[in-house]
Amino acid sequence: MNRDLLMSDAVHFRISYEINPYMDRSCQPDTEAAVAEHEAIAAAHRAAGRTVRAMESAPECPDMVYTANGAFVCDGRAVLGDPPAARLEEIRYFRSWLKENEFEVFDAPYAFSGQGDALACGRFLLAGYGQRTDERMHGFLAELFGHETVLLRTAGEEWYDLDLAVAVIDERTLAYHPEALEAGSRSRLRELGLELIEVDAADARAFALNLVSDGTTVTMTQGAPRLAATLRERGLTVVELDTTELRKGGGGVRCTALTLDNPAPR
Ligand code: ARG
């Protein structure tokens, strides 16, 4: 998993609106630094043996660097995101790219944050809702792809996408910040029989969980030393990167890569 990724670029990345609590129009990214940061993330994926496919960002889409919200892709099929109005313009670019690259493309019938709220883990789909994604969206995805849906409601807009609260390390292991999930969802996660790594508030707020793991190498932010150490103790190779500029938009490593190779659930 996570060996084939779609990334965009940070050339047009800026804070033009505020749709999550981290965005502040008076705190703009430095474009040159943002581009360098983003390129370093792409280089780290390549160094880990992953394929990075590129989709050019559009000038009218300042959040396009966060490709994770463009769609959820699995087994050659893609369901497009249906994001807040401020980001709606992005979707036609994802539609075109995915079609040109021979994915079968579906529209989302409800509000949907794409992979931001849809994390595949073996036979499970970790299904975020309550902020950017309508709960009914997950019935649609289950019917299309056949995963066992694990509905997880995040606890407030600080965790506006599930990929800030939960991370898939491999098919048997998740990392998560318990307080980022509502009580019922926390219990649901604990009964799956997966191994769970708990991440504290400080690391979670530094976007520790917004990581990309292929089961061997974990690519993550450098602001979360405790999770990095825990993963190393488990024998994983951990690559920590500066995400200062991307954080200004409310995102990190996971948000900038749309996974193209999620397998059909087994
Ligand atoms: N500024 C973007 C937004 O609010 C950040 C998206 C980050 N993506 C993610 N998958 N968490 O939509």
Side-chain angles (χ1 to χ4, degrees), residues 118-142:
L119 300 172
C121 180
R123 70 177 208 273
F124 298 115
L125 186 71
L126 308 176
Y129 74 102
Q131 303 288 330
R132 298 270 183 100
T133 298
D134 187 311
E135 187 178 354
R136 291 170 293 178
M137 194 54 216
H138 292 300
F140 178 84
L141 296 177

Side-chain angles (χ1 to χ4, degrees), residues 103-248:
F103 289 88
E104 193 183 349
V105 178
F106 299 82
D107 284 303
Y110 306 103
F112 180 41
S113 209
Q115 178 190 280
D117 269 333
L119 300 172
C121 180
R123 70 177 208 273
F124 298 115
L125 186 71
L126 308 176
Y129 74 102
Q131 303 288 330
R132 298 270 183 100
T133 298
D134 187 311
E135 187 178 354
R136 291 170 293 178
M137 194 54 216
H138 292 300
F140 178 84
L141 296 177
E143 190 140 321
L144 195 59
F145 296 115
H147 294 92
E148 185 177 320
T149 304
V150 182
L151 281 174
L152 299 173
R153 188 198 271 276
T154 55
E157 57 170 11
E158 199 182 347
W159 318 105
Y160 65 88
D161 267 355
L162 186 68
D163 66 6
L164 301 175
V166 179
V168 178
I169 306 300
D170 61 38
E171 283 196 8
R172 258 164 270 124
T173 318
L174 304 178
Y176 81 121
H177 176 48
E179 283 81 57
L181 299 175
E182 291 207 335
S185 300
R186 216 180 297 153
S187 315
R188 175 81 174 102
L189 201 67
R190 286 173 177 159
E191 73 199 12
L192 297 176
L194 299 175
E195 206 175 324
L196 299 178
I197 301 170
E198 291 202 4
V199 169
D200 64 32
D203 272 11
R205 293 216 168 87
F207 297 166
L209 292 158
N210 201 251
L211 58 77
V212 174
S213 173
D214 53 33
T216 305
T217 301
V218 177
T219 313
M220 64 179 285
T221 185
Q222 68 186 11
R226 284 173 298 279
L227 178 61
T230 302
L231 296 172
R232 284 198 180 99
E233 278 161 25
R234 302 173 71 99
L236 291 151
T237 300
V238 179
V239 180
E240 295 163 274
L241 298 162
D242 182 13
T243 58
T244 310
E245 300 305 318
L246 287 168
R247 187 182 168 80
K248 294 174 182 168

Side-chain angles (χ1 to χ4, degrees), residues 54-142:
M55 178 176 67
E56 215 177 292
S57 70
E60 74 279 20
C61 298
D63 264 336
M64 204 158 156
V65 67
Y66 305 112
T67 53
N69 301 111
F72 170 72
V73 183
C74 177
D75 194 24
R77 291 177 291 171
V79 179
L80 293 168
D82 182 7
R87 294 190 63 183
L88 217 47
E89 275 297 302
E90 294 175 34
I91 298 304
R92 61 192 177 96
Y93 295 103
F94 284 93
R95 186 193 305 281
S96 305
W97 192 92
L98 290 161
K99 281 195 167 160
E100 275 161 27
N101 287 275
E102 267 141 55
F103 289 88
E104 193 183 349
V105 178
F106 299 82
D107 284 303
Y110 306 103
F112 180 41
S113 209
Q115 178 190 280
D117 269 333
L119 300 172
C121 180
R123 70 177 208 273
F124 298 115
L125 186 71
L126 308 176
Y129 74 102
Q131 303 288 330
R132 298 270 183 100
T133 298
D134 187 311
E135 187 178 354
R136 291 170 293 178
M137 194 54 216
H138 292 300
F140 178 84
L141 296 177

